[in-house]
Amino acid sequence: MKFFSLLFLLLLTSFLPAEATMVLTPDTLQTRDLNPVVVTGTGTYHKADNTPVAVKVISAKELKDAQVTNVQEALTRLTTDVTTHTSGMGTFVNFNGVSDDYIVILENGKRVSGDDRWERISISNVKRIEIFSGAASALYGSDAIAGVINIITDDSKDRVSATASSRLLSKGRLSNDIDVDLNVGNLSSQTSYNHRQADNWQVSNLQAFDEGGQEVLKLTGRPMSVGYRSENLTQRLEWKMNDQWSVYLRGSYYDYNTVRPQSATYFTQTAKTDKESGEKSYTYAEKTAYTYDLHHKSYLYGGGARWSPNSNTHVYLDVYSDNYVSKYAYWQTASKDAYEETRKRTHYTNETLKGIFRLADWNKLSAGLELVQESLNSQSDNIDFETCETYNLFAQDEINIAKGLEAVAGLRYTYNTGFGSALTPNAGLFYHVGKFRFRASYASGYRTPTLSQMYATDQAKTNARFTINNPSLRPEKNDFWKLNAEFSNRWMSLSVNAFINKIRDMINYRTMTTDEILNDSYLNDLYANQGWSTIRQRDNIDNATIQGLSAQAKFLLPAGFSLSGGYTFTDSNAKTKTLDKKSQTYVTTETPADKSVRHVGNLNVSWDKSWRGYHLNVNLNGHIQGERYSSTYGYAPAYQQWDLNTRHVIMLDHFDLEPSIGIENLFNQRDTSYWNSNFSTINPGRSLYVGLKLNFRD
């Protein structure tokens, strides 16, 4: 079944007329555009060299050449701002030294919310990815403390456009995508379906135990990368009533299941001290690793309208609701039938009315209002039902002050039912002369605590730790300063960026003192009668300063070659309060920010060559990063990964045929540390991949 899609496409293309005349379309030729259109950062369309705020762009050609299968891969391989950390709990993104909790992810300008938000975005129909580094709460609201990533999808203008693609790697990694666009009169339809799957794999089958200073190794069957199956279906319908009005409806359905090994076991250690000799003896018990899989589902529905009475006025209404549920899928056993138990439910509704008004040749205003409603029910976190609402008014003005000098200024007013009112401003200057561009900006950020952070309680019996809720959390805030300098011409683009991000009142876990426990009857009962030795809660105990410097370059060279690369240096200092258990006082410790990486680089070399009816792209992509810091495990080793990709384009009348073949992890970079280590990478090693894509247009 894994080869079904590839075999189907190969059989289908075998019936196409081999003698058909082959003509390459412009989009299969080497892209020479170093100045794409961008919208992120201002909410209005600009050419990249004319936008008053700096925005990085990953183009459709770069995505195709690198043969990425998801958004996280694209960001890691093709930028230096983003690093990822994968463990048995999933893949986590770090953006400019902070976690993805502080990133707003947009798809065509609409916020992607909730759990599994990265996995719910298909890469197959992406036209470009825009990356705005910096606080952007004025325009995009809560969570935009580190930046904004906007995924822009393609909308074909052909009457019929259909694409089917498959890609297969080792360890059962398979991706299938189908995209169908229809344009009939004033009605257009975009349908997208994607399937992803992978088997379980280990980078090491050993776990280490300490026996009085001596290391003892035992086998473990727990995979480092958990197998899964996922399906994602999206649909959008738009009706252009006339030149002034259009309306649309959209919806999506996402289904994700882990496929963990039911027979997997692992060992636990028990230490016993002899009362007379004081010597310790150790015993090991083999236990079943898993009793259930995780099953996640979400469905989204929404719609909107656009009104453009003239070229100077554009008004947009967008309404959508996202509904997510996570369940434990328990397996069939000798004593129990298989069953599912709800773990959590979230509901997110967003209603936005936004207008873009050209008030004069030198002035453009974006303004609007936004209502966000959220609810959470979580049995695993002991949350019955909690809700919050956020009301927002926002405006951002773009002003041409003089020739070559522009300014942008914005302000958002936020009222949250749990935290009251807040104002978040931003301001920036843009100066351009000849082929040089200079930008300076300041923005403040504001992030309200999530419902889970405020109300979740959890129990960790293995280390006798109990976490209580804390509805009294305060919002996190930051100040972000950024400088940017760029130079570009027809064959090269150079960019240098520097930033300082100061984040206050960050939320982390705080261990409670003995006095706090003894003076509270509920906490004292947990400690004295129920046997919990550590009691903690989330609190606003962290502050962080992150400073960064990055440089990017792109060159379009003779003979079809192109070269791009970048480097980012991040220096972070996180201050947190930790409890000294002996003195029962808090001390402030300073470390790098959790999951931060000081040095990240990438290199991308591409060669394009066209013959009559055939186009070839050969691409070498490298991602290099230094040690990654973990507040729990210390430093993970530095590593690098290089991928060699080839993409072939053959035109047959209305068909594009695109076979691809390449090698992932060319130099077989692996981290085979013992289980529960801070892995630099869990890539299984060098792997040959094959892919096939079929495009039809009419």
Side-chain angles (χ1 to χ4, degrees):
M1 293 298 291
K2 295 178 181 178
F3 291 93
F4 174 76
S5 297
L6 287 171
L7 291 174
F8 173 76
L9 291 176
L10 286 170
L11 287 171
L12 178 62
T13 55
S14 68
F15 291 100
L16 296 175
E19 68 277 6
T21 302
M22 296 183 286
V23 181
L24 284 171
T25 57
D27 63 341
T28 64
L29 300 176
Q30 183 183 21
T31 300
R32 293 281 179 178
D33 188 7
L34 293 176
N35 190 24
V37 173
V38 297
V39 64
T40 310
T42 62
T44 57
Y45 289 96
H46 295 271
K47 283 286 190 178
D49 62 359
N50 288 324
T51 181
V53 296
V55 178
K56 297 179 183 178
V57 178
I58 303 175
S59 68
K61 183 179 187 301
E62 290 173 311
L63 295 170
K64 290 178 181 179
D65 293 349
Q67 292 291 298
V68 294
T69 59
N70 57 59
V71 175
Q72 292 162 314
E73 278 188 7
L75 295 171
T76 304
R77 296 183 186 182
L78 299 172
T79 73
T80 56
D81 299 315
V82 175
T83 59
T84 59
H85 168 236
T86 303
S87 69
M89 300 296 292
T91 299
F92 305 93
V93 170
N94 186 285
F95 184 30
N96 283 335
V98 295
S99 74
D100 63 359
D101 292 334
Y102 302 97
I103 307 170
V104 166
I105 303 172
L106 306 174
E107 187 174 19
N108 296 317
K110 281 89 174 166
R111 182 188 289 250
V112 181
S113 66
D115 294 356
D116 292 12
R117 56 181 184 164
W118 293 103
E119 289 78 7
R120 286 192 265 168
I121 302 173
S122 171
I123 198 72
S124 63
N125 198 34
V126 172
K127 180 162 57 177
R128 65 183 184 275
I129 300 175
E130 300 179 359
I131 304 165
F132 173 75
S133 177
S137 291
L139 201 58
Y140 297 106
S142 186
D143 299 346
I145 279 181
V148 178
I149 296 173
N150 193 5
I151 293 94
I152 310 295
T153 60
D154 199 8
D155 51 346
S156 172
K157 303 304 181 184
D158 294 321
R159 187 174 65 89
V160 179
S161 175
T163 301
S165 61
S166 289
R167 189 171 186 264
L168 180 65
L169 292 89
S170 65
K171 307 299 181 183
R173 290 173 287 172
L174 173 67
S175 59
N176 295 325
D177 297 279
I178 299 174
D179 298 285
V180 179
D181 291 356
L182 302 174
N183 292 282
V184 181
N186 293 329
L187 183 67
S188 62
S189 167
Q190 291 93 40
T191 306
S192 178
Y193 166 78
N194 56 79
H195 167 84
R196 301 285 184 271
Q197 69 179 60
D199 295 338
N200 299 282
W201 77 74
Q202 296 174 308
V203 289
S204 172
N205 65 347
L206 296 173
Q207 56 184 129
F209 295 94
D210 178 44
E211 281 194 6
Q214 187 173 11
E215 187 178 70
V216 174
L217 301 178
K218 294 288 184 180
L219 292 174
T220 179
R222 293 179 294 187
M224 198 59 212
S225 183
V226 176
Y228 71 94
R229 306 286 185 273
S230 72
E231 320 286 336
N232 196 16
L233 176 66
T234 64
Q235 175 65 54
R236 190 179 191 277
L237 295 170
E238 183 175 5
W239 180 34
K240 295 181 179 179
M241 304 165 65
N242 51 47
D243 291 339
Q244 295 185 2
W245 283 95
S246 67
V247 296
Y248 76 91
L249 295 172
R250 71 182 181 113
S252 67
Y253 176 77
Y254 167 78
D255 188 274
Y256 173 93
N257 291 272
T258 60
V259 188
R260 302 198 288 193
Q262 297 189 20
S263 60
T265 61
Y266 72 105
F267 285 87
T268 59
Q269 181 191 68
T270 302
K272 186 177 181 180
T273 304
D274 186 271
K275 292 183 179 180
E276 295 182 0
S277 66
E279 293 183 357
K280 285 187 177 181
S281 61
Y282 300 87
T283 59
Y284 298 90
E286 188 174 13
K287 294 188 176 182
T288 300
Y290 309 109
T291 58
Y292 62 86
D293 276 312
L294 290 173
H295 183 195
H296 303 162
K297 291 192 299 184
S298 74
Y299 62 91
L300 179 147
Y301 57 88
R306 179 182 63 85
W307 178 52
S308 300
N310 54 60
S311 60
N312 295 324
T313 303
H314 305 277
V315 180
Y316 303 88
L317 172 67
D318 296 290
V319 179
Y320 61 95
S321 174
D322 183 86
N323 305 272
Y324 174 89
V325 60
S326 175
K327 295 183 177 182
Y328 297 112
Y330 287 94
W331 301 328
Q332 177 85 35
T333 65
S335 58
K336 287 185 178 181
D337 293 331
Y339 69 98
E340 287 192 345
E341 179 181 277
T342 299
R343 174 175 165 262
K344 68 184 292 188
R345 291 181 183 274
T346 63
H347 179 77
Y348 176 91
T349 300
N350 186 294
E351 303 168 33
T352 303
L353 179 65
K354 174 186 174 181
I356 300 174
F357 311 96
R358 181 172 289 279
L359 306 178
D361 291 340
W362 49 271
N363 187 211
K364 187 186 295 182
L365 175 68
S366 301
L369 52 92
E370 179 186 42
L371 168 64
V372 175
Q373 299 170 302
E374 298 176 80
S375 68
L376 170 64
N377 166 255
S378 176
Q379 294 182 8
S380 62
D381 291 330
N382 299 298
I383 301 173
D384 290 333
F385 185 75
E386 297 293 344
T387 64
C388 72
E389 295 182 352
T390 306
Y391 303 87
N392 302 276
L393 295 172
F394 60 91
Q396 184 164 281
D397 204 14
E398 301 173 45
I399 305 171
N400 292 323
I401 300 173
K403 183 179 180 181
L405 181 62
E406 300 177 33
V408 59
L411 182 68
R412 175 176 287 248
Y413 168 76
T414 298
Y415 175 77
N416 182 279
T417 52
F419 301 99
S421 301
L423 291 173
T424 48
N426 72 285
L429 283 174
F430 172 42
Y431 177 68
H432 51 99
V433 55
K435 301 183 184 303
F436 291 91
R437 300 179 292 280
F438 305 93
R439 301 177 179 91
S441 64
Y442 163 79
S444 68
Y446 176 83
R447 179 179 183 266
T448 56
T450 66
L451 292 171
S452 179
Q453 286 177 322
M454 289 188 292
Y455 298 108
T457 65
D458 61 74
Q459 306 171 16
K461 294 183 179 179
T462 55
N463 50 16
R465 186 181 64 207
F466 194 95
T467 303
I468 65 172
N469 60 19
N470 185 6
S472 300
L473 289 171
R474 302 187 306 276
E476 299 169 286
K477 301 177 181 179
N478 81 316
D479 296 291
F480 200 108
W481 294 267
K482 184 169 65 173
L483 295 173
N484 164 261
E486 294 180 1
F487 171 84
S488 66
N489 56 28
R490 295 183 60 183
W491 63 274
M492 67 177 294
S493 173
L494 304 174
S495 175
V496 178
N497 303 273
F499 72 89
I500 300 175
N501 187 9
K502 291 182 175 291
I503 311 177
R504 309 183 300 280
D505 295 328
M506 297 177 73
I507 297 170
N508 203 343
Y509 291 100
R510 178 178 69 85
T511 301
M512 309 192 79
T513 67
T514 301
D515 287 343
E516 286 180 295
I517 295 171
L518 295 177
N519 292 328
D520 187 290
S521 59
Y522 170 65
L523 299 181
N524 191 38
D525 179 64
L526 292 173
Y527 184 76
N529 300 324
Q530 298 187 34
W532 300 102
S533 60
T534 300
I535 301 175
R536 64 178 189 170
Q537 68 175 182
R538 296 175 182 87
D539 210 342
N540 300 89
I541 60 172
D542 286 2
N543 295 290
T545 299
I546 300 108
Q547 304 174 84
L549 182 67
S550 64
Q552 296 81 37
K554 291 185 179 181
F555 301 93
L556 299 180
L557 305 174
F561 284 95
S562 60
L563 174 68
S564 63
Y567 167 75
T568 295
F569 169 78
T570 304
D571 181 43
S572 61
N573 177 266
K575 297 180 180 180
T576 187
K577 294 179 181 179
T578 58
L579 179 66
D580 184 306
K581 291 189 176 182
K582 289 185 178 180
S583 65
Q584 287 295 298
T585 58
Y586 288 105
V587 295
T588 299
T589 60
E590 297 186 24
T591 65
D594 192 34
K595 307 298 188 299
S596 63
V597 181
R598 287 174 67 87
H599 305 281
V600 182
N602 75 338
L603 182 66
N604 197 69
V605 182
S606 192
W607 179 67
D608 287 88
K609 178 68 175 177
S610 294
W611 293 269
R612 185 177 180 272
Y614 171 71
H615 182 78
L616 171 65
N617 171 266
V618 180
N619 175 270
L620 177 66
N621 176 265
H623 171 83
I624 309 102
Q625 73 176 45
E627 296 178 322
R628 182 185 63 247
Y629 176 76
S630 167
S631 58
T632 304
Y633 298 101
Y635 284 95
Y639 88 100
Q640 54 183 295
Q641 179 177 317
W642 294 84
D643 303 302
L644 180 62
N645 312 288
T646 68
R647 183 168 62 92
H648 313 260
V649 183
I650 304 168
M651 292 294 296
L652 298 168
D653 286 340
H654 295 291
F655 290 93
D656 274 345
L657 193 62
E658 290 190 26
S660 59
I661 186 169
I663 301 174
E664 182 189 81
N665 199 352
L666 187 63
F667 301 110
N668 199 32
Q669 177 78 40
R670 301 172 67 234
D671 184 347
T672 56
S673 303
Y674 302 139
W675 168 262
N676 211 30
S677 299
N678 188 13
F679 291 92
S680 61
T681 176
I682 62 166
N683 188 284
R686 185 186 299 114
S687 176
L688 177 71
Y689 75 81
V690 292
L692 185 61
K693 185 175 184 179
L694 178 64
N695 299 312
F696 171 81
R697 61 195 176 278
D698 183 23

